[in-house]
Amino acid sequence: MTRLKSLLLEKIQEHRPRITKLTKELGNIVIDSVTIDQCVGGARDVRCLVTDISYLDPQEGIRFRGKNIPETFAALPKLPGAEYPTVESFWFFMLTGEIPTAAEAEEVKQDFNSRAKVPSYVFDVLKAMPKDSHPMVMLSTAVLTLQRESKFNKQYHSMKKVDYWDPMYEDACDLLAKLPEIAAFIYRYKYKNGEIIASNPDLDMGANFAHMMGIAKPYDDVARMYFILHSDHESGNVSAHTTHLVASALSDAYYAFSAGLNGLAGPLHGLANQEVLDWIMGFQKKLNGAEPTEENVKAALWETLNSGHVIPGYGHAVLRKTDPRYQAQMEFCLKHLPEDPIFKLVNTIYKVAPGVLTEQGKTKNPWPNVDAQSGVIQWYYGLTQYDFYTVLFGVGRAIGVLANITWDRGLGYALERPKSVTTAMLEEWAAAGGRK
Ligand code: HAX
C-alpha cells in the first residue's frame, strides 16, 4: 500500500466515530431553519452538506484543508525550478490534510504514472463523435466510457460498506491520472489536426499535460496553478454537489464525475470562463480597432445587462468579495504578461464592472470570480480555442470532487434525498406565518 493510501485509511478510521456521534447522539440538534426563499431559490446558505476538504468563506474565499491559496502554494513541495507545487502533492494534501514530503509526493507521481494509460477504446469513442461536439461533451463522454474500468463497480457485491472507500480511492486515482491525456487528446484532435503527442511518464502531471498539449514552459506551471486553483470550492457548487449526489447512490467515480462535468458545462458555472473570452472577443470586434477605454467598456457592459444577459465572470452565490482565485491569477499575469492587451482589458473591466453591477442593483456580489481572469492566461500561451477552457477547469475540479467522494465512502455518507413540497403547501404555510 502506498504511503498516501495507508495514511488516508488511518485518517478515515480516526474520523468515523465523529460522524457516528453526530448522527446517532446529536442528530436532533437544530442548526438552521429553511425559509421559503431558500426553498424556491436554490437552497442558498442551507447548511446540509459536510466536507472537511475545503471551506468557502464569503469574505475571505476558499481554504483548502484550512489553508488559503498563498499558504497552500507556499506549503506544498515544488520541483526544482518550478513556481507552483505539483498536482500530485496537492492531491495528497486534499485527501489527508497533511503536507507530503518530497518523497511522498514522488510516490504519488509514480503511482499516477502506473495508472495513466488511457485505453484505446476511449479515443475510438471520441473519434466517432461529430468533430464539432463541444469539448465538454467529449470530456464527459470519455469519463463515462471509462466506467467499464471501475473497481468499485466490480467489487460492489463482494465487499462490506466499511471497505467502500478502498475501490473508490482506486477509481479516483485511476481517473485523475488519466484525465490529462484525455483532455490533451481532445485539444489536439479537435484543434491540431489530430497530431497527438505521446505522454512522457517522467514528468509530473502539470508538466506532462503541458507537453501533451504541445505548449512550452512556463505552461507546466500554468497547468499546476490552474488545476490547483480550480480543484475545489466546498461542496455546494453545481459540479461538486452533482458529483457527490450521484455518488451517494453508490454510483462509481466515473458515473459521478461525468455527471459533475455536465453541471460544470453550464454558463452560470464553469462555462463562464469560455463566456468571458467570448464577451471580450465580441467587444473587441465592436471596437473595430479602437482602444478600449473605461467609457466604452462601461457602455458595452450596460449593453450586455440591458439585453438581459449576465456579465460573465462576475458575481457569486457565496462569495461577497473579489475571488482570491481571481487575485492569484492576476498576480501570475502581473509577473508573466503585464503588457498583454487582453490582460489590460480584463483589468479595465475590473475597474468598471463592479460599479455597473452595483448601479444595476441586482447582484448580491458585484466582484469578479475565478472565470474573469483564467482565460487571458490560456490565450496568452496560445490556447485561443476558448471553448476548450472549461475542460481545463474540469481536470482541476476532478481533484476536489474525487477526494470528496472517496471520503464520502470512507465515512459512509447517506444517499442524498431531500424532501420536496408543493407550491400549494408553501402558500398554505406562508398564510399561516410558517409551518406549524
Ligand atoms: N451579471 C448580471 N446579473 C447578475 C450577475 C452578473 N454577473 N450576477 C448576478 N446577477 C443577477 C442574477 O441573475 C439575479 O437576477 P434575477 O433576480 O433577475 O434572477 C440577481 O443578480 C441576484 O443574483 P445573486 O443572488 O447575486 O446571484 P446568484 O447566487 O443567483 O447567482 C451566479 C450566482 C454566479 C450564477 C451569478 O452571479 C452569475 O450569473 N454570474 C455570471 C456568470 C458567472 O460568472 N458564473 C461563474 C460563477 C463562478 C463559478 O461557479 N465558476 O465556475
Side-chain angles (χ1 to χ4, degrees):
M1 204 187 271
T2 60
R3 167 73 182 136
L4 170 56
K5 194 169 177 184
S6 62
L7 182 61
L8 175 63
L9 177 57
E10 262 172 49
K11 299 262 167 189
I12 289 172
Q13 283 170 335
E14 232 172 73
H15 202 107
R16 276 179 182 148
R18 293 170 64 193
I19 298 299
T20 308
K21 183 169 180 187
L22 284 168
T23 52
K24 303 275 184 259
E25 293 174 33
L26 308 169
N28 287 333
I29 294 174
V30 177
I31 302 298
D32 263 332
S33 51
V34 176
T35 63
I36 290 181
D37 196 23
Q38 290 171 316
C39 186
V40 178
R44 293 292 181 286
D45 289 331
V46 178
R47 285 161 178 79
C48 65
L49 292 164
V50 188
T51 177
D52 298 288
I53 293 178
S54 70
Y55 182 75
L56 179 59
D57 180 83
Q59 302 300 325
E60 192 202 38
I62 194 67
R63 277 185 180 264
F64 304 118
R65 289 283 185 184
K67 291 195 190 299
N68 66 24
I69 291 169
E71 288 165 356
T72 303
F73 284 153
L76 291 170
K78 297 171 194 67
L79 294 171
E83 223 179 298
Y84 291 90
T86 59
V87 172
E88 288 87 342
S89 67
F90 184 68
W91 172 241
F92 189 112
F93 175 54
M94 292 291 266
L95 274 176
T96 64
E98 308 255 335
I99 301 293
T101 62
E104 287 167 336
E106 175 60 25
E107 191 191 26
V108 178
K109 186 190 132 194
Q110 302 287 343
D111 184 44
F112 275 12
N113 283 340
S114 71
R115 300 170 186 268
K117 184 95 198 89
V118 179
S120 61
Y121 67 81
V122 174
F123 300 128
D124 293 341
V125 169
L126 294 180
K127 285 182 200 161
M129 294 175 79
K131 200 78 182 261
D132 62 355
S133 300
H134 193 279
M136 282 300 280
V137 177
M138 298 179 88
L139 181 63
S140 176
T141 302
V143 170
L144 196 56
T145 304
L146 270 172
Q147 190 276 340
R148 72 186 284 282
E149 308 296 324
S150 172
K151 292 168 179 159
F152 183 91
N153 189 43
K154 288 193 182 83
Q155 291 172 35
Y156 175 62
H157 290 289
S158 59
M159 64 182 165
K160 295 201 174 79
K161 194 173 175 181
V162 73
D163 296 323
Y164 285 172
W165 73 274
D166 186 319
M168 186 60 116
Y169 167 86
E170 293 296 329
D171 282 354
C173 293
D174 285 346
L175 179 50
L176 187 54
K178 287 177 173 59
L179 283 174
E181 188 176 350
I182 294 171
F185 176 89
I186 294 170
Y187 178 71
R188 305 263 336 160
Y189 177 68
K190 264 183 89 75
Y191 309 111
K192 299 286 171 187
N193 300 320
E195 288 160 15
I196 306 304
I197 301 173
S199 159
N200 178 350
D202 293 336
L203 301 174
D204 69 296
M205 187 186 278
N208 198 18
F209 180 68
H211 159 76
M212 289 186 286
M213 291 290 285
I215 308 179
K217 273 180 184 297
Y219 195 72
D220 52 347
D221 259 329
V222 171
R224 294 179 191 113
M225 172 190 70
Y226 198 95
F227 294 154
I228 292 173
L229 284 181
H230 287 80
S231 60
D232 211 30
H233 222 215
E234 67 171 38
S235 285
N237 67 79
V238 171
S239 51
H241 189 194
T242 307
T243 308
H244 163 79
L245 169 68
V246 174
S248 85
L250 299 188
S251 300
D252 59 56
Y254 300 90
Y255 278 126
F257 183 55
S258 176
L261 285 170
N262 298 341
L264 191 70
L268 296 188
H269 191 16
L271 201 84
N273 57 12
Q274 166 181 329
E275 296 280 291
V276 167
L277 254 288
D278 194 53
W279 191 94
I280 287 175
M281 291 304 132
F283 171 67
Q284 286 188 328
K285 202 167 167 198
K286 274 188 221 147
L287 283 185
N288 204 12
E291 277 296 301
T293 62
E294 290 188 23
E295 287 65 40
N296 56 31
V297 167
K298 197 171 175 182
L301 292 171
W302 273 115
E303 200 183 314
T304 300
L305 291 179
N306 292 337
S307 65
H309 293 101
V310 295
I311 296 175
Y314 281 75
H316 201 272
V318 177
L319 279 168
R320 295 296 174 256
K321 284 271 173 71
T322 295
D323 190 336
R325 300 172 300 174
Y326 175 95
Q327 281 167 327
Q329 294 179 103
M330 188 177 176
E331 280 158 26
F332 180 93
C333 292
L334 284 169
K335 183 164 179 198
H336 293 275
L337 45 131
E339 297 307 323
D340 179 70
I342 300 186
F343 174 55
K344 286 183 171 173
L345 174 54
V346 164
N347 278 337
T348 309
I349 299 171
Y350 185 31
K351 275 194 196 141
V352 176
V356 169
L357 283 165
T358 304
E359 196 179 330
Q360 191 211 27
K362 276 170 64 171
T363 179
K364 294 187 190 70
N365 173 37
W367 301 105
N369 59 58
V370 64
D371 299 311
Q373 186 70 258
S374 58
V376 58
I377 301 176
Q378 301 299 333
W379 185 279
Y380 181 79
Y381 290 104
L383 217 164
T384 52
Q385 302 84 354
Y386 49 82
D387 59 351
F388 187 74
Y389 291 175
T390 314
V391 169
L392 299 170
F393 195 151
V395 176
R397 183 48 51 103
I399 305 168
V401 300
L402 293 174
N404 268 286
I405 58 175
T406 302
W407 270 93
D408 288 356
R409 294 291 76 82
L411 300 178
Y413 279 176
L415 175 81
E416 191 173 315
R417 206 322 187 168
K419 179 81 185 81
S420 60
V421 295
T422 67
T423 308
M425 286 172 183
L426 287 183
E427 287 163 346
E428 194 184 308
W429 295 330
R435 185 165 177 240
K436 299 279 179 281

